[in-house]
Amino acid sequence: MRLPTLPTWVWIALAALVIVGLEVATIAACGPWDPWETHYGEVARQILVRSDPLDLWWKPGYGPDGNAENTFWSKPALPFWLMALSMGLFGVGSRPEADEMVRSPWPEIAIRMPSMLAGLLCAVFLGYVVWRLLRDETAPRSRGPDRASRPSGPDLAARAGIFTAVVLATMPQWAIVTRQALTDMFLVMPVSVALGAWALAWLQPDRVLRRRSLGELIRRPAGEGGGWSRRVRRWTIPWDRAYVVFLLGVILAAVVPLAVLHMHVISDDTVARVAKFTKKPNIPSVATLRQIHFHLLAYWPVVFGLLVVSLRWARRSQVWMGVLYVAAGVSLVGKGMIGPGLVGLVVLADLVVRGRFDLLRRCGLVAGTLLFALASLPWHHAMALYRGKPWINELIVINNLARFGSGEQDQAVGGFAYYVRTLGVAALPWSAALPAALWSATRRLRSSSSDQPDAPGASAATRGAAVRRFALLWAVATLALLTYSVTKYYHYLLPVLPPLALLVGLWLGDLTEKTDDAGSRRTAWVTAGLGIGVLGLVLRDAVVEPAWIVHLTTYLYDNMWRNGAPPTERLIVMAVPFALALLLWAARRGRAAAAGMVFSALLTLGWIMNSYLPAASEHWSQRPLVKAYYDGRGPEDPLFSWWYYYRGETFFTKASVWVLKELDKDKLFAAIDEHRGHGRTIWVITTIGHGKRLKTSVPSDLRAGVEVVMETTHYSLLKFPVP
């Protein structure tokens, strides 16, 4: 089979059109899930409602448990800033209509859009990294009118880059996270950018930055101006695409958040609101705001100093190291300490394996440390002053150190096999290609020369071997760190997917070469058979436990959370082309094999996005029930959240819900009595099991009127009139 010889940009456009089309077309096909989309969405909405990007809040509603939570301190701020910004741009979350969160798809689109953009841009960036590192710098690139001299299709580097992006974007766990309002993508995306920047800095020959003089930019005649003016116009500044990437990163990731926080702290509205707080220990005051203001002032000289230093950079490696430090800082404010930890661990592993500790002298550690601090510390610094030790204990100690060292829940523990089994479903069907991709990578490493990839004139083969080694180190180090952590959730596996996509993408790029060297025929057939065996085991797990795909992005896996997922037998049909493609690869039909694998992955992705997730959402999302409440309620009918606390009831009602987390009949009776004599109907949302006990839990004179309005596998909506 021969792939059409289309230009590289056409292949990129086709891949982007298919994958982005699937993501965009299905982003609002199902309501936000419990857990945790609705929780995070409400935290972001509170930023808009309270006009406060500093102190994150969660308001569960009113009632006896309505004040059980107020502040939200378990996650850093970046994901919620972006969700709030998106909600503001889409105009949702703060309108006067009580039912706006269930009347249109815009709330789902708004809270999910940042994650989708981050996931897709991460896939594109990794593809770019592969292309830059593998391309032959000595190959002629015709830009003239002679079309015959132009390449008729993508070269090996471009194909490997395109395949890398496609593989990552079509892995089920990656695809689902990119269309859900979770915090994980704001960890994995900056970590991947940081490690990609490391590769661009030290896995290819370095070069001098392109520069331009100020005179060229000002375009004034040489004779105009005095001596000082002429000297200034001779100054040069970086005029390089890599530097533009760095500069944009600093502005968006560091300068803009710092400016927003600073303006918020000194604004009249903030001062007036904080002045009303009760004067107690650990409660912020106007003096606290003044203290934060003076501390934030210290960051601005750092911004100016780093800008001046960066203008003096002469090498491309300095710029990409700057990108690494900024991205590592973003990962800290995106998810927590695990982000910089992953970056540091993989970089250290690469230094040790390559024996290149000399790079430490060239990494710009002083400026890099300041860049990292500028991107990560202002919000943490301000919150430490604003809320003090309780906030530090909640975010740093409990939700970072304790989760890593002592665990959080009994269901969230396991050994090495915990993530290995999950990886099969998370990367389906590409998990079946991993044996072949790993075998190919290790074979290339054994046969590679000892030349350094950053040596002047290093060949594409040397750089390709270095990229494979780096991807292996990235995957192994990340999986080891996640396995070492006591707390284990399925979605914690997400950081392992980018390096595995790199390995598979590089392998697919090799398959499409006419001179593909499949190595030993017997070994190729054995590896293909192993991949088909892996595919069979993964499909068995997915069919036996249909909820496993849902669990890839949630944290509750027991009891009712195992019910309600649609059947997954169709995955078997969609995996058949992948199994056949592995056989074609063993038979040295590389291009046909690559086409079959991509086709199978797109089929799988399309079914998960268009069929599986919408069907599962009918049970995992509370949106249908809350919509039924707004469709049928009277003007003053209240909604009770009883013996139940899964956050969606708050997000969809914009916190206009009465909350009681326990059975407690006395409190329930008291709330019901407040509505007597008004001719209202009380609506109750709860779990399916607790809903069956509501009739025996309300006053005896109201039991006959209890009626089930709507039920899903997980939730129940009931109502009863109160005369």
Side-chain angles (χ1 to χ4, degrees):
M1 178 178 178
R2 183 178 178 84
L3 291 175
T5 55
L6 300 175
T8 302
W9 71 267
V10 175
W11 284 110
I12 295 174
L14 287 174
L17 183 64
V18 173
I19 294 173
V20 175
L22 282 173
E23 294 281 358
V24 173
T26 61
I27 191 172
C30 54
W33 289 2
D34 284 312
W36 280 108
E37 283 192 279
T38 52
H39 196 181
Y40 298 154
E42 180 61 16
V43 173
R45 195 185 72 83
Q46 286 292 332
I47 293 177
L48 294 179
V49 173
R50 300 175 64 251
S51 298
D52 187 355
L54 174 64
D55 194 22
L56 302 183
W57 271 56
W58 159 258
K59 297 282 289 183
Y62 56 94
D65 292 323
N67 290 321
E69 294 182 61
N70 278 314
T71 54
F72 177 86
W73 294 345
S74 61
K75 295 288 186 295
L78 178 62
F80 311 104
W81 288 344
L82 296 177
M83 290 182 206
L85 175 62
S86 182
M87 293 176 79
L89 292 175
F90 281 98
V92 299
S94 57
R95 294 178 180 174
E97 296 87 353
D99 58 351
E100 70 161 314
M101 308 305 284
V102 297
R103 291 303 183 196
S104 75
W106 295 116
E108 287 92 335
I109 295 174
I111 63 174
R112 290 169 172 166
M113 186 61 70
S115 188
M116 187 182 76
L117 292 176
L120 293 177
L121 289 175
C122 181
V124 170
F125 179 74
L126 283 183
Y128 169 79
V129 170
V130 170
W131 170 70
R132 288 291 304 184
L133 294 179
L134 296 189
R135 71 175 187 163
D136 186 358
E137 299 284 354
T138 63
R141 292 179 176 82
S142 173
R143 298 183 181 180
D146 183 9
R147 298 194 175 198
S149 64
R150 298 180 185 179
S152 59
D155 58 10
L156 173 61
R159 288 197 300 271
I162 295 171
F163 279 132
T164 297
V166 169
V167 169
L168 182 58
T170 55
M171 287 181 171
Q173 188 176 48
W174 188 270
I176 297 173
V177 173
T178 59
R179 50 87 48 78
Q180 288 197 340
L182 303 175
T183 60
D184 301 270
M185 195 55 68
F186 305 103
L187 159 71
V188 184
M189 193 266 196
V191 166
S192 300
V193 170
L195 294 176
W198 174 265
L200 290 171
W202 308 117
L203 297 187
Q204 63 177 335
D206 204 357
R207 66 165 172 81
V208 176
L209 279 180
R210 300 179 184 92
R211 305 181 70 87
R212 293 186 68 176
S213 67
L214 293 179
E216 292 180 275
L217 300 177
I218 298 173
R219 298 184 181 278
R220 291 176 58 188
E224 292 188 14
W228 171 249
S229 175
R230 286 193 295 271
R231 286 194 296 271
V232 169
R233 291 170 59 201
R234 287 196 295 268
W235 291 352
T236 63
I237 61 173
W239 201 257
D240 198 287
R241 282 177 293 183
Y243 185 80
V244 172
V245 171
F246 163 77
L247 193 60
L248 288 175
V250 171
I251 292 172
L252 295 177
V255 177
V256 170
L258 176 61
V260 170
L261 288 173
H262 209 164
M263 288 189 294
H264 168 73
V265 168
I266 63 177
S267 71
D268 294 338
D269 291 340
T270 303
V271 172
R273 177 164 53 86
V274 172
K276 299 176 183 179
F277 288 179
T278 304
K279 303 301 185 290
K280 290 183 179 180
N282 296 323
I283 300 297
S285 65
V286 174
T288 309
L289 295 179
R290 189 178 302 110
Q291 184 184 25
I292 296 173
H293 163 61
F294 285 116
H295 281 244
L296 291 181
L297 281 175
Y299 286 91
W300 291 108
V302 177
V303 172
F304 178 77
L306 288 172
L307 178 61
V308 172
V309 169
S310 70
L311 290 174
R312 297 174 61 86
W313 286 343
R315 311 293 298 181
R316 180 175 60 182
S317 59
Q318 293 175 291
V319 174
W320 284 119
M321 285 305 301
V323 173
L324 181 147
Y325 292 119
V326 173
V330 171
S331 72
L332 180 63
V333 78
K335 183 75 173 180
M337 298 168 65
I338 186 67
L342 282 173
V343 174
L345 180 63
V346 176
V347 167
L348 179 62
D350 187 54
L351 291 174
V352 171
V353 170
R354 294 170 60 193
R356 292 296 304 276
F357 288 101
D358 61 296
L359 296 180
L360 291 175
R361 300 194 308 269
R362 301 161 57 190
C363 284
L365 287 175
V366 175
T369 301
L370 293 175
L371 283 169
F372 174 83
L374 190 63
S376 63
L377 291 188
W379 176 77
H380 289 85
H381 190 170
M383 278 300 297
L385 297 173
Y386 195 72
R387 290 293 183 178
K389 292 182 179 179
W391 173 82
I392 296 173
N393 182 68
E394 175 75 16
L395 178 64
I396 307 300
V397 178
I398 296 177
N399 284 285
N400 277 266
L401 301 178
R403 283 197 184 192
F404 188 84
S406 59
E408 185 182 34
Q409 296 187 9
D410 293 339
Q411 65 160 1
V413 295
F416 180 75
Y418 183 92
Y419 284 132
V420 172
R421 286 190 66 202
T422 305
L423 178 62
V425 179
L428 185 73
W430 296 111
S431 49
L434 286 177
L438 292 172
W439 169 62
S440 176
T442 53
R443 186 167 58 88
R444 290 295 185 95
L445 291 178
R446 288 198 304 269
S447 61
S448 64
S449 66
S450 59
D451 296 338
Q452 292 294 343
D454 58 333
S459 66
T462 299
R463 285 178 273 126
V467 174
R468 288 172 172 83
R469 181 187 299 109
F470 183 69
L472 284 170
L473 287 174
W474 183 353
V476 171
T478 302
L479 186 59
L481 183 64
L482 297 177
T483 302
Y484 182 78
S485 172
V486 176
T487 301
K488 292 180 175 65
Y489 293 121
Y490 293 141
H491 59 280
Y492 284 6
L493 183 65
L494 196 70
V496 183
L497 299 186
L500 296 182
L502 272 173
L503 290 171
V504 175
L506 292 167
W507 175 68
L508 287 173
D510 289 341
L511 296 190
T512 55
E513 283 284 272
K514 293 181 180 179
T515 59
D516 175 48
D517 177 16
S520 169
R521 183 179 292 268
R522 179 179 300 177
T523 305
W525 282 105
V526 170
T527 308
L530 180 60
I532 293 174
V534 169
L535 188 61
L537 292 174
V538 173
L539 290 172
R540 182 202 63 181
D541 288 343
V543 170
V544 171
E545 186 58 81
W548 207 335
I549 298 177
V550 177
H551 292 162
L552 292 175
T553 59
T554 65
Y555 92 114
L556 293 173
Y557 317 129
D558 298 332
N559 303 318
M560 75 177 193
W561 299 101
R562 300 184 65 184
N563 304 320
T568 53
E569 286 81 3
R570 290 188 181 181
L571 287 174
I572 299 175
V573 177
M574 296 169 193
V576 169
F578 205 94
L580 295 176
L582 286 172
L583 297 176
L584 288 172
W585 165 72
R588 301 191 179 187
R589 299 293 186 270
R591 295 193 174 192
M597 291 177 192
V598 172
F599 177 69
S600 177
L602 290 175
L603 281 179
T604 303
L605 177 65
W607 178 77
I608 289 175
M609 292 297 189
N610 289 292
S611 298
Y612 180 90
L613 292 182
S617 178
E618 293 300 311
H619 305 281
W620 261 262
S621 177
Q622 296 183 46
R623 177 174 177 166
L625 293 92
V626 179
K627 185 176 184 298
Y629 158 68
Y630 281 115
D631 288 341
R633 72 163 187 163
E636 297 183 353
D637 290 352
L639 177 65
F640 283 15
S641 170
W642 171 70
W643 200 0
Y644 156 83
Y645 190 50
Y646 287 135
R647 277 48 174 210
E649 66 279 5
T650 299
F651 175 75
F652 290 117
T653 64
K654 299 197 294 187
S656 298
V657 59
W658 183 89
V659 179
L660 178 61
K661 300 178 185 178
E662 306 298 333
L663 174 60
D664 205 323
K665 292 185 178 181
D666 292 337
K667 293 181 180 178
L668 179 62
F669 282 16
I672 292 173
D673 288 342
E674 292 179 5
H675 295 280
R676 289 185 183 271
H678 299 283
R680 298 169 182 165
T681 296
I682 293 179
W683 298 67
V684 179
I685 188 168
T686 186
T687 64
I688 191 74
H690 294 164
K692 296 176 180 178
R693 299 182 59 180
L694 179 64
K695 183 174 289 189
T696 61
S697 301
V698 301
S700 57
D701 62 317
L702 303 178
R703 292 174 183 174
V706 175
E707 172 189 352
V708 176
V709 178
M710 186 177 184
E711 284 185 339
T712 66
T713 302
H714 297 168
Y715 310 114
S716 181
L717 178 68
L718 308 97
K719 68 177 182 178
F720 56 90
V722 179

